[in-house]
Amino acid sequence: MVKERKLIIAGNWKMNKTVAEALDLVNGLKRELAAVKEVDIVVCPPFTALSEVSKVVLDSNIRLGAQDMSQHIGGAYTGEIAAGMLKEFSVRYVILGHSERRQFNGETDALVATKAAAALGASLKPIICVGELLHQRESGQTEAVIEAQLEGSLKGLTKGQLEESIIAYEPVWAIGTGKVATPQQAQEVHAYIRRRLAIMFDESTARHVRIQYGGSVKSSNARELMSQPDVDGALVGGASLEVRGFSDIVKNSI
Ligand code: 13P
């Protein structure tokens, strides 16, 4: 099946990998995936490995993403990293509003919207995460939760900016649990996200935006998930931490 939108497969390494381990992984991926042209491949190492990894991916088909950034452009914000600092390492993508940052760092939709504007202002492509908790799904609130997250996290973006952005649907109950959404569940929510984007922006913009699925994606379930009409890629956690797992996901998605 030929997709209208090019797939994007991104690996979110989270708080894993020393510099040496990151180099091992990315060198392996570079070898395994050198021939892949059909998919945009992105790796998102921890900040500490960006510099070294950026040198390895420079002459490859692998692009670099960061796992978060500050909404500020610089100044007295201890511990924070600004978009301009990421750009020094040829970072092109940045994950924003990941559920772990929402849960452990109290990030709100309003903050995510400010960060998204800052990322786009620096020509970084934000990967904006949304997703419901288990009890929200079980009580039939999935669509309401997603609607509120989209309204809040995309507030103030123009149509042009949305087209430069990527939405990641990551149901929280599927992250790191081995409990993957069924292809039908993923498709249903992705189609719902696209309908909401059409209402918030317009049909043509909504058609162009890439919507990734994340949550226990593995090589064994990638093909079926990626073949859903509104699933335009994957945001992979655990399975992106080793060469075989991540490269098989990429290959199985083509
Ligand atoms: P897992 O693939 O480990 O479930 O993590 C998904 C995720 O959070 C990607 O951002």
Side-chain angles (χ1 to χ4, degrees):
M1 173 182 151
V2 178
K3 285 263 188 179
E4 191 186 347
R5 297 163 292 273
K6 198 175 178 192
L7 285 176
I8 172 168
I9 310 287
N12 174 7
W13 297 0
K14 308 192 180 181
M15 198 170 74
N16 294 292
K17 304 292 177 190
T18 62
V19 173
E21 291 165 347
L23 288 175
D24 268 357
L25 176 52
V26 78
N27 275 309
L29 292 174
K30 195 173 151 178
R31 272 194 306 275
E32 279 293 318
L33 297 172
V36 174
K37 295 191 177 56
E38 300 86 343
V39 178
D40 286 335
I41 305 164
V42 183
V43 294
C44 305
F47 292 127
T48 46
L50 284 176
S51 172
E52 290 302 313
V53 171
S54 74
K55 294 174 197 161
V56 175
V57 298
L58 210 55
D59 61 343
S60 80
N61 54 346
I62 298 174
R63 300 279 167 265
L64 203 52
Q67 297 176 18
D68 182 37
M69 57 169 258
S70 170
Q71 70 275 32
H72 302 291
I73 55 170
Y77 300 101
T78 301
E80 295 290 307
I81 307 275
M85 297 168 175
L86 299 176
K87 301 270 299 189
E88 286 191 288
F89 303 117
S90 310
V91 169
R92 309 247 186 121
Y93 297 85
V94 59
I95 300 170
L96 296 178
H98 190 281
S99 69
E100 287 148 17
R101 295 212 57 88
R102 292 175 185 266
Q103 183 184 348
F104 302 127
N105 300 77
E107 295 205 357
T108 61
D109 292 326
L111 177 64
V112 175
T114 319
K115 290 187 176 193
L120 288 158
S123 304
L124 290 173
K125 289 180 185 296
I127 299 175
I128 299 167
C129 303
V130 297
E132 80 286 2
L133 303 167
L134 183 60
H135 77 86
Q136 293 168 328
R137 171 164 284 266
E138 287 176 345
S139 57
Q141 297 174 69
T142 299
E143 292 192 351
V145 169
I146 301 289
E147 179 185 343
Q149 289 176 332
L150 291 173
E151 291 284 343
S153 306
L154 304 178
K155 204 180 180 77
L157 298 195
T158 64
K159 291 176 191 174
Q161 286 179 317
L162 184 71
E163 282 197 22
E164 292 301 312
S165 307
I166 294 151
I167 308 294
Y169 169 56
E170 297 207 307
V172 180
W173 49 270
I175 296 178
T177 58
K179 260 175 89 178
V180 65
T182 64
Q184 293 68 30
Q185 285 173 324
Q187 167 58 25
E188 257 171 43
V189 179
H190 283 228
Y192 175 73
I193 290 172
R194 212 177 294 285
R195 286 201 301 279
R196 288 306 313 169
L197 296 179
I199 294 166
M200 291 167 62
F201 296 87
D202 64 26
E203 286 279 348
S204 149
T205 309
R207 244 197 332 271
H208 283 95
V209 175
R210 292 194 285 185
I211 308 175
Q212 289 170 290
Y213 168 79
S216 297
V217 175
K218 304 189 277 287
S219 55
S220 56
N221 57 31
R223 190 183 302 280
E224 220 191 326
L225 283 163
M226 295 309 114
S227 65
Q228 301 303 308
D230 287 291
V231 178
D232 306 317
L235 184 53
V236 186
S240 73
L241 294 175
E242 40 111 16
V243 175
R244 172 76 25 235
F246 191 61
S247 51
D248 281 354
I249 289 171
V250 172
K251 289 174 187 172
N252 288 350
S253 301
I254 297 168

